[in-house]
Amino acid sequence: MIYDGGFVSGLYEGSGKLYDAEGNMIYDGGFVSGLYEGNGKLYANGVLSFEDEFNEGLKEGAGKGYNTETQVLIYDGNFAAGKYSGEGKQFSAYNGELVYDGNFYQGLYYGEGKLYSSDTMTLIYSGNFRLGIYDGEGTL
């Protein structure tokens, strides 16, 4: 089985579950015109990688991302067009410790935020970022 759910005009529609050829879950949630829509869970090799909101097949709005190897939460915040955007927290993929707390734009640190060492859990930098680098006022 590849898909279990509704169809409209040959496209996935409504609540459904999508599987790969080996039977591993790929997606569990809503569909509109064959695209992920609304609440859903995305899987990689049957392991949860993302949960929450989708719009036209992309991660959109609030959501949580997971490392599929360690199953550790790596991001909790907002998405736009499938990328980290707006308020969010990024965590280490290996120990789950907070790495960054602040704003994102197109997947990069942008605006005000705090960067932490995932090893020592100490604050490294507090201030402004632009396209992932320190920019403007801040404290090291």
Side-chain angles (χ1 to χ4, degrees):
M1 172 173 53
I2 300 288
Y3 176 73
D4 182 21
F7 290 89
V8 171
S9 299
L11 299 174
Y12 307 146
E13 189 76 24
S15 184
K17 295 179 181 182
L18 187 61
Y19 302 88
D20 66 18
E22 287 80 40
N24 295 313
M25 179 84 67
I26 295 174
Y27 178 76
D28 180 7
F31 289 89
V32 172
S33 299
L35 299 174
Y36 306 153
E37 187 73 29
N39 287 324
K41 293 180 180 180
L42 190 61
Y43 297 82
N45 297 318
V47 178
L48 183 65
S49 66
F50 175 81
E51 64 180 330
D52 228 324
E53 295 291 319
F54 289 87
N55 183 43
E56 296 182 353
L58 298 174
K59 300 168 191 168
E60 188 80 28
K64 293 180 180 183
Y66 299 89
N67 179 308
T68 56
E69 291 179 21
T70 62
Q71 298 182 5
V72 170
L73 178 70
I74 57 172
Y75 182 76
D76 186 2
N78 292 306
F79 289 81
K83 296 182 179 180
Y84 302 163
S85 185
E87 288 280 324
K89 293 182 179 184
Q90 188 175 29
F91 302 90
S92 166
Y94 299 100
N95 64 15
E97 295 296 332
L98 182 65
V99 173
Y100 178 78
D101 183 3
N103 292 298
F104 291 84
Y105 176 71
Q106 293 187 350
L108 300 172
Y109 306 154
Y110 199 95
E112 194 163 330
K114 294 179 180 179
L115 186 63
Y116 298 88
S117 165
S118 64
D119 294 328
T120 63
M121 294 158 277
T122 57
L123 182 65
I124 297 172
Y125 175 79
S126 178
N128 290 305
F129 292 84
R130 186 165 190 253
L131 301 176
I133 58 174
Y134 308 150
D135 187 67
E137 295 293 317
T139 303
L140 279 171

